[in-house]
Amino acid sequence: MTLLETVAFPVLFIWFVGLLLTLFRRDLESHWKFFFFLVFCFYLVQFFPEFWEGVARWKENPKAEVLLWISAMGNSIYVFLFFLWPLVLIRIYYSASNNLSKTLIPALAYGTVLYWALFFLWTMYSKEFNGWLHQIFTNK
C-alpha cells in the first residue's frame, strides 16, 4: 500500500471538516467559499478510489487503521518538508516584510529539528513504540 492510499481517507476527512468550518465563517466572501468547495471536490474525485478503500479499511478494523495513519502521517510530513523547504527559502528571499522572515525562519527551523528528533527516536525505538501503540489501541 502506498503512502497516498494510506493517508487519502484521513486527509480528505480532515479537509472536509475544515471546509465545513470555513463555510460557516461570516467574514469570508461567498466566491472564496465556492472556490474552496471546488478544490475539495476536485481532490475528492481525483482520489476517490483511495478514499473509499480507506473507508473500507476503517470499517473493517478501525484500530489498525489508526495505527497505520500515525505511521503514514509521519512519513507524509517527511515528504512535505522536502517540498516545503526550497519554497520557503525562495519566499524568504523575495519577502518584502522582514517580520515574515523573522517568524517563518525559526518556526520552520525548530519544527524541522523537532521532527528530525522525533523521527530519529521513532527509528531507534520503532519496535517498542509500535508495541506500545498496539497495546493502547487493542486493550481499550
Side-chain angles (χ1 to χ4, degrees):
M1 181 177 344
T2 65
L3 181 63
L4 180 62
E5 291 170 343
T6 306
V7 298
F9 175 59
V11 167
L12 285 169
F13 179 75
I14 293 168
W15 194 341
F16 177 73
V17 170
L19 179 65
L20 283 178
L21 294 173
T22 304
L23 291 177
F24 286 113
R25 282 196 58 156
R26 294 182 187 167
D27 59 342
L28 284 176
E29 298 168 359
S30 60
H31 68 278
W32 289 119
K33 293 178 184 182
F34 182 69
F35 179 75
F36 298 156
F37 178 74
L38 285 179
V39 171
F40 172 76
C41 288
F42 172 79
Y43 282 109
L44 181 63
V45 169
Q46 185 73 29
F47 298 114
F48 189 75
E50 292 85 1
F51 173 77
W52 202 244
E53 288 174 16
V55 171
R57 286 192 314 268
W58 171 261
K59 288 180 180 178
E60 181 181 318
N61 191 355
K63 293 177 182 179
E65 189 66 13
V66 169
L67 290 174
L68 191 61
W69 292 348
I70 291 170
S71 174
M73 288 298 188
N75 292 337
S76 62
I77 290 171
Y78 183 79
V79 174
F80 176 72
L81 286 173
F82 177 72
F83 288 110
L84 182 67
W85 265 100
L87 297 174
V88 167
L89 293 175
I90 292 169
R91 175 68 177 117
I92 288 169
Y93 175 77
Y94 284 110
S95 178
S97 169
N98 230 7
N99 292 333
L100 175 68
S101 297
K102 288 180 182 179
T103 57
L104 189 60
I105 292 169
L108 191 59
Y110 294 141
T112 301
V113 170
L114 177 66
Y115 172 77
W116 285 347
L118 293 174
F119 185 77
F120 175 74
L121 289 174
W122 181 78
T123 56
M124 295 297 292
Y125 301 106
S126 62
K127 288 182 182 179
E128 294 85 356
F129 183 69
N130 288 337
W132 177 71
L133 282 177
H134 185 72
Q135 182 182 14
I136 287 175
F137 280 101
T138 55
N139 286 342
K140 292 186 178 181

